[in-house]
Amino acid sequence: MKMIDVGEKKKTERVAVARGKVSMSDATAGIVRRGESEKGDVLAAARLAGIMAAKRTPDLVPLCHPIALTGVDVLAEVRDGGVEIEATVRTRDRTGVEMEALAAVSAGCLTVYDMLKRYERGMRIEAVELLEKKGGRTGHWTRGKPARKR
Amino acid sequence: MKMIDVGEKKKTERVAVARGKVSMSDATAGIVRRGESEKGDVLAAARLAGIMAAKRTPDLVPLCHPIALTGVDVLAEVRDGGVEIEATVRTRDRTGVEMEALAAVSAGCLTVYDMLKRYERGMRIEAVELLEKKGGRTGHWTRGKPARKR
Amino acid sequence: MKMIDVGEKKKTERVAVARGKVSMSDATAGIVRRGESEKGDVLAAARLAGIMAAKRTPDLVPLCHPIALTGVDVLAEVRDGGVEIEATVRTRDRTGVEMEALAAVSAGCLTVYDMLKRYERGMRIEAVELLEKKGGRTGHWTRGKPARKR
Amino acid sequence: MKMIDVGEKKKTERVAVARGKVSMSDATAGIVRRGESEKGDVLAAARLAGIMAAKRTPDLVPLCHPIALTGVDVLAEVRDGGVEIEATVRTRDRTGVEMEALAAVSAGCLTVYDMLKRYERGMRIEAVELLEKKGGRTGHWTRGKPARKR
Amino acid sequence: MKMIDVGEKKKTERVAVARGKVSMSDATAGIVRRGESEKGDVLAAARLAGIMAAKRTPDLVPLCHPIALTGVDVLAEVRDGGVEIEATVRTRDRTGVEMEALAAVSAGCLTVYDMLKRYERGMRIEAVELLEKKGGRTGHWTRGKPARKR
Amino acid sequence: MKMIDVGEKKKTERVAVARGKVSMSDATAGIVRRGESEKGDVLAAARLAGIMAAKRTPDLVPLCHPIALTGVDVLAEVRDGGVEIEATVRTRDRTGVEMEALAAVSAGCLTVYDMLKRYERGMRIEAVELLEKKGGRTGHWTRGKPARKR
């Protein structure tokens, strides 16, 4: 196993956007909407957990390069069927930030689960996926339209 | 927000089992099967990443208690449609280990994605969910049969 | 230097409460009150940062024992002259949790500073101090009345 | 909440100096001066804890950018009324290092408290503040003269 | 790979002692003895680094259990041919602390190397080994006499 | 103590190669060769632990600079008398990566020890040393031939 050498790659502006969802019952989603979770503000905690996880990605993903992130934004909102998390990560470095965006979404989803598990243990983290990436050798990529039902 | 006080809870044996999957094309699954990923052994890396993430759960999930885990086992295998990760976590402490099991699965899935993203950027982490938990005040819980198509 | 052996100490219920303050101008305090900080919700971020720092105290304070915290609660509110942070930490272990409570307050104060520094660089973290501790060999301790002007 | 994007900012030389103090009785200060603390060399531990905390600032302060520090110096000395900690942090990056300097001072002060708390629980961390910063868009800033009584 | 379940093991008092050495020229050892290293006090830094590493062993060694250490003591001294590090770690938990003692020694040795490498790059970390362990199912173990020339 | 300022140094390509060994009996080496260790694949775990430790070097070695590593490769193989670990670390930054390479080797060796300690507690980590470094002000350095008996 090895962390591939990226020394020859150029430092360019790179962006990645990822998304995921914690599916839950309407009753549980209502608890979030009304701010009634015993542990506190679910959406604020999920956003902060996502941002912090983005910074710790190289600790979580063994072969991932340490990168100087220039920006991280994590959104969390209650949607039909659950809480959706979306993370946008930016850098000007030698590798892309897909892993950082996906790690942010994963940590946000885990945090949502943690704060609501006493109400519904059967929640499920679904469809954690990259939506878009820009920059680097492989250029612009977006997830094709039919890839996900919304 | 607060980390709920569990001082009154009893230290009992607790187990949690979680599972998730990285869905991918047959071509990418074949790369894993044949051990041809440029970054090395995908399944071994995913298992180790999962075990290490279980230990770091309180750093990832803000309101999660630090717990003395007594055992962690993470399985990773190529199945139809992708790589499946299953984690079993054990403790003898005051809170359950659902979050540790889910964090292990999430980190394992992220690691699979990282090692294969150059072959298929559109992979998706799916259905990260608790399968079973034992111990503690709420006792034994298992995910109901129809909860997941296999 | 050494981390003193506490193996002979009893595991008892222990609580520590600490407090501190970030002093700032009324204008800056107003930004917090009205929720106008560019970086987002100052008080929520400070509370979460405090809870997470309590769990990481042994990493921050070299000779501090790793402890199984059973509960952490961090409050943050705008008061005359600034933002006040108060942390309550609980354990059932062999050493007290004074350091965890003080670390939570310090991290909360640093987070407040970070989120407001673009508005007022001269803010100051003040009077980070233990208010009370219970449990353990030395028993109950409270800060004497005249110790702090409010 | 978000970690503001700094991708457009220039990488320039940046320096920040911060200071703080642990106030204590003369008796406790004497223990430090004579090197009699049971846990070992208080000033050396505080300096090292400060340097290590500067490197971990993005883990402590949720919305703080990860930065490549080029230098960190932490001083600790016994002064009238306590132990004073001063940290100087340098980088050549896109954001300032005020938070790193303040985090170093906070961790140094917490370490002083930890090593002396058995002698005096009522010590207090005081006046953790930025003294000076250089570099970046906002240029040179120094704390005004009357800002602190010495 | 798995972190073996130790839930059935008893919590008993356990101690481990490990030792290692950084071999170097007399000239370099003299720099340590006279306290002339540019980076500061080599022996104090090595001791503190060892203590902190003991606490982080489960992060460094993937299949190692997280353990509540009750005490850690690290010694560092200049001996013929280099700097010797000895670590004693104690716990009252379900697994032994051999890895914590060896990790403390390794981090102490790395720190010695770091602080002196500008004077002698060819230094070598030698004979990091367990000297003794007590407690647990396998009882008392000591390294046999002829195992190391002193 | 201080982390020396390297702001004036140039960002150049830098490489460091380090090596070390865990000496053990033939019987224990055979367990590794035949893949019979109860905890799983020793060599894969050692390699991954080494890569992850390289990234965390600034957390382990107090005065070491945080560096953006561009590549890390860790080899582990059974040789006469034990398991040998070799790490190659690359960066394009202001300081060398000797410490990262040595930290990777140390963590790899600790992991080997951990996975085999139940078979042979007397194993020893030997001769952790730099083999070569390139780049930076001091240029190319290689360990002299007679430095190590093989």
Side-chain angles (χ1 to χ4, degrees):
Chain A
M1 277 170 285
K2 64 178 165 177
M3 199 172 88
I4 306 283
D5 185 32
V6 296
E8 297 297 330
K9 290 193 177 183
K10 285 198 192 125
K11 288 198 176 185
T12 62
E13 188 176 359
R14 294 159 190 268
V15 185
V17 184
R19 190 177 50 192
K21 182 180 177 175
V22 184
S23 65
M24 59 187 69
S25 69
D26 288 348
T28 308
I31 290 168
V32 182
R33 265 206 192 87
R34 295 186 304 274
E36 291 173 4
S37 163
E38 181 195 25
K39 287 190 171 187
D41 184 340
V42 175
L43 302 180
R47 294 179 71 183
L48 219 56
I51 292 169
M52 295 185 85
K55 293 192 273 186
R56 321 194 81 211
T57 307
D59 277 352
L60 276 180
V61 181
L63 303 179
C64 189
H65 294 81
I67 285 195
L69 308 180
T70 59
V72 182
D73 198 358
V74 178
L75 303 176
E77 55 184 322
V78 185
R79 286 276 185 99
D80 289 346
V83 173
E84 200 167 294
I85 310 279
E86 185 175 309
T88 303
V89 180
R90 293 167 197 279
T91 192
R92 301 220 169 175
D93 215 322
R94 290 191 174 83
T95 68
V97 282
E98 295 96 317
M99 294 319 303
E100 283 74 8
L102 290 164
V105 170
S106 293
C109 289
L110 288 168
T111 300
V112 168
Y113 187 98
D114 178 51
M115 296 182 82
L116 297 170
K117 68 179 186 290
R118 64 166 296 173
Y119 308 108
E120 183 182 353
R121 196 161 274 120
M123 289 175 296
R124 187 181 295 162
I125 300 174
E126 308 243 40
V128 176
E129 62 188 9
L130 191 66
L131 292 185
E132 184 177 3
K133 75 162 272 285
K134 284 187 216 164
R137 192 176 39 78
T138 57
H140 195 176
W141 179 92
T142 53
R143 182 166 286 275
K145 290 293 154 44
R148 193 182 179 191
K149 290 150 281 181
R150 299 180 204 186
Chain B
M1 277 170 285
K2 65 177 165 178
M3 198 172 87
I4 307 282
D5 186 32
V6 297
E8 296 297 330
K9 290 192 177 184
K10 283 195 193 130
K11 288 197 176 185
T12 61
E13 187 176 359
R14 295 159 191 266
V15 185
V17 184
R19 188 177 50 191
K21 181 180 180 175
V22 184
S23 64
M24 61 187 68
S25 68
D26 288 349
T28 307
I31 290 169
V32 182
R33 265 206 191 87
R34 295 187 304 272
E36 291 172 3
S37 164
E38 181 194 26
K39 288 191 170 187
D41 184 340
V42 174
L43 303 180
R47 295 179 70 182
L48 220 55
I51 293 170
M52 296 185 84
K55 293 192 273 187
R56 321 194 83 209
T57 306
D59 278 351
L60 275 181
V61 181
L63 302 178
C64 188
H65 294 81
I67 285 194
L69 308 180
T70 60
V72 182
D73 197 357
V74 178
L75 302 177
E77 54 183 322
V78 186
R79 287 274 186 101
D80 289 347
V83 173
E84 201 167 293
I85 310 279
E86 186 175 308
T88 303
V89 180
R90 292 166 198 281
T91 191
R92 302 220 169 175
D93 214 323
R94 290 190 174 84
T95 68
V97 282
E98 294 96 317
M99 292 320 302
E100 283 74 9
L102 289 164
V105 169
S106 292
C109 289
L110 288 169
T111 300
V112 168
Y113 187 96
D114 178 50
M115 296 182 81
L116 297 170
K117 67 178 187 291
R118 62 166 298 176
Y119 308 108
E120 182 182 356
R121 195 162 273 121
M123 289 176 295
R124 188 182 292 161
I125 300 175
E126 307 242 41
V128 176
E129 62 188 9
L130 192 67
L131 292 185
E132 184 177 3
K133 75 163 272 287
K134 284 187 216 162
R137 192 176 39 78
T138 58
H140 195 177
W141 179 91
T142 52
R143 180 167 287 274
K145 288 295 155 39
R148 192 182 181 192
K149 290 150 283 183
R150 296 182 209 183
Chain C
M1 277 171 285
K2 66 178 164 178
M3 197 171 88
I4 306 283
D5 186 32
V6 296
E8 296 298 330
K9 290 191 176 185
K10 283 199 193 125
K11 288 198 177 186
T12 62
E13 188 176 358
R14 295 159 190 266
V15 185
V17 184
R19 189 177 49 192
K21 181 180 178 175
V22 183
S23 65
M24 61 187 70
S25 68
D26 289 348
T28 307
I31 289 169
V32 182
R33 265 206 191 87
R34 296 187 302 273
E36 291 173 2
S37 165
E38 180 195 27
K39 288 191 171 187
D41 184 340
V42 175
L43 302 180
R47 294 179 71 182
L48 221 54
I51 292 169
M52 295 185 84
K55 293 192 272 187
R56 320 194 82 210
T57 306
D59 278 350
L60 275 181
V61 181
L63 302 178
C64 189
H65 293 81
I67 285 195
L69 308 180
T70 60
V72 182
D73 198 357
V74 178
L75 303 176
E77 54 184 321
V78 186
R79 287 274 187 100
D80 289 347
V83 173
E84 201 167 294
I85 310 279
E86 185 175 309
T88 303
V89 180
R90 292 166 198 280
T91 191
R92 301 219 170 176
D93 215 323
R94 290 190 173 84
T95 67
V97 282
E98 294 97 318
M99 293 319 303
E100 282 75 9
L102 290 164
V105 169
S106 293
C109 288
L110 288 169
T111 300
V112 169
Y113 188 96
D114 178 51
M115 296 183 82
L116 297 170
K117 67 178 187 292
R118 62 166 298 174
Y119 308 108
E120 182 182 355
R121 195 162 273 121
M123 289 175 296
R124 189 181 293 161
I125 300 174
E126 308 242 41
V128 176
E129 63 187 10
L130 192 67
L131 291 185
E132 183 177 3
K133 74 162 273 284
K134 285 186 214 162
R137 192 176 39 79
T138 58
H140 195 176
W141 178 92
T142 52
R143 182 167 285 275
K145 288 297 153 41
R148 189 180 182 193
K149 289 151 284 182
R150 298 182 208 186
Chain D
M1 278 171 286
K2 64 178 165 178
M3 199 172 88
I4 306 282
D5 185 33
V6 296
E8 296 297 329
K9 289 192 177 184
K10 286 201 191 122
K11 288 197 175 184
T12 61
E13 188 175 358
R14 294 159 190 268
V15 185
V17 185
R19 188 176 50 192
K21 182 180 178 174
V22 184
S23 65
M24 60 187 68
S25 69
D26 288 349
T28 307
I31 290 169
V32 182
R33 267 207 190 84
R34 295 187 303 273
E36 292 172 3
S37 165
E38 179 195 26
K39 288 191 172 187
D41 184 341
V42 174
L43 301 180
R47 294 180 71 183
L48 220 54
I51 292 170
M52 295 185 85
K55 294 192 272 187
R56 319 194 84 210
T57 306
D59 277 350
L60 275 180
V61 180
L63 303 178
C64 190
H65 294 80
I67 284 194
L69 308 180
T70 59
V72 182
D73 198 358
V74 178
L75 303 176
E77 54 184 322
V78 186
R79 287 275 186 99
D80 289 347
V83 172
E84 201 167 293
I85 310 280
E86 185 176 308
T88 303
V89 180
R90 292 167 198 279
T91 191
R92 301 220 170 175
D93 214 323
R94 289 191 174 84
T95 68
V97 283
E98 294 97 318
M99 293 319 303
E100 283 74 9
L102 290 164
V105 169
S106 293
C109 288
L110 288 169
T111 299
V112 168
Y113 188 97
D114 178 50
M115 296 182 81
L116 297 170
K117 68 179 186 290
R118 62 166 298 175
Y119 308 108
E120 182 182 357
R121 194 161 275 121
M123 289 176 296
R124 188 181 294 161
I125 300 174
E126 307 242 39
V128 174
E129 62 188 8
L130 191 67
L131 291 185
E132 183 177 4
K133 75 163 272 287
K134 282 187 218 163
R137 193 176 39 80
T138 58
H140 195 177
W141 179 92
T142 53
R143 182 166 285 277
K145 289 294 153 40
R148 191 180 180 193
K149 290 151 281 182
R150 297 181 209 186
Chain E
M1 277 170 284
K2 65 179 165 178
M3 199 172 87
I4 306 283
D5 185 31
V6 297
E8 297 297 329
K9 290 192 176 185
K10 285 200 192 122
K11 288 197 176 186
T12 61
E13 188 176 359
R14 295 159 190 267
V15 185
V17 185
R19 189 177 48 190
K21 182 181 180 174
V22 184
S23 65
M24 61 187 69
S25 68
D26 287 351
T28 307
I31 290 168
V32 182
R33 265 206 191 86
R34 296 187 303 273
E36 291 173 4
S37 163
E38 180 195 27
K39 287 190 171 188
D41 184 339
V42 175
L43 302 180
R47 294 180 71 182
L48 219 55
I51 292 169
M52 295 184 84
K55 293 193 273 187
R56 319 194 84 211
T57 306
D59 277 350
L60 275 181
V61 181
L63 303 179
C64 189
H65 294 81
I67 284 194
L69 307 180
T70 59
V72 182
D73 198 358
V74 178
L75 304 176
E77 54 184 323
V78 186
R79 286 276 185 99
D80 289 347
V83 173
E84 200 166 293
I85 309 279
E86 185 175 307
T88 303
V89 180
R90 292 166 198 280
T91 191
R92 302 223 169 174
D93 214 323
R94 290 191 173 86
T95 67
V97 282
E98 294 97 317
M99 293 319 303
E100 283 75 8
L102 290 164
V105 169
S106 292
C109 288
L110 288 169
T111 300
V112 168
Y113 188 96
D114 178 51
M115 296 182 82
L116 297 170
K117 67 178 186 291
R118 62 166 297 175
Y119 308 108
E120 181 181 357
R121 195 161 274 120
M123 289 175 295
R124 190 181 292 161
I125 300 174
E126 308 241 41
V128 175
E129 62 188 9
L130 192 67
L131 292 185
E132 184 176 3
K133 74 162 273 287
K134 283 187 218 164
R137 192 176 38 79
T138 58
H140 195 177
W141 179 92
T142 52
R143 182 167 285 275
K145 289 296 155 39
R148 191 180 179 193
K149 291 149 282 182
R150 298 181 208 186
Chain F
M1 277 170 285
K2 65 178 165 177
M3 198 173 87
I4 306 283
D5 185 31
V6 296
E8 296 297 330
K9 289 193 177 183
K10 285 201 191 122
K11 288 198 176 183
T12 62
E13 189 176 359
R14 295 158 190 269
V15 185
V17 184
R19 190 177 48 192
K21 183 179 178 176
V22 184
S23 64
M24 60 187 69
S25 69
D26 288 348
T28 307
I31 289 169
V32 182
R33 266 207 191 87
R34 296 187 302 273
E36 292 172 3
S37 164
E38 180 195 27
K39 287 190 170 189
D41 184 340
V42 175
L43 302 181
R47 294 180 72 183
L48 220 56
I51 292 170
M52 295 185 86
K55 294 192 272 186
R56 320 193 84 212
T57 306
D59 277 351
L60 276 180
V61 181
L63 302 179
C64 188
H65 293 80
I67 284 195
L69 307 180
T70 59
V72 182
D73 197 359
V74 178
L75 303 176
E77 54 184 323
V78 186
R79 287 275 186 100
D80 289 348
V83 173
E84 201 167 294
I85 310 279
E86 185 176 307
T88 303
V89 181
R90 293 167 198 279
T91 192
R92 302 221 169 175
D93 215 324
R94 290 192 173 82
T95 68
V97 282
E98 294 96 317
M99 294 319 303
E100 283 74 8
L102 290 164
V105 169
S106 293
C109 288
L110 288 169
T111 300
V112 168
Y113 187 96
D114 178 50
M115 296 182 82
L116 297 170
K117 67 178 187 291
R118 62 166 298 175
Y119 308 107
E120 182 182 355
R121 196 161 272 121
M123 289 175 296
R124 188 182 293 162
I125 299 174
E126 308 241 41
V128 176
E129 63 188 9
L130 192 67
L131 292 186
E132 183 176 3
K133 76 162 272 287
K134 283 186 217 164
R137 194 177 38 77
T138 57
H140 195 177
W141 178 92
T142 53
R143 181 166 286 276
K145 289 294 153 42
R148 191 180 180 190
K149 291 151 283 186
R150 295 181 211 185

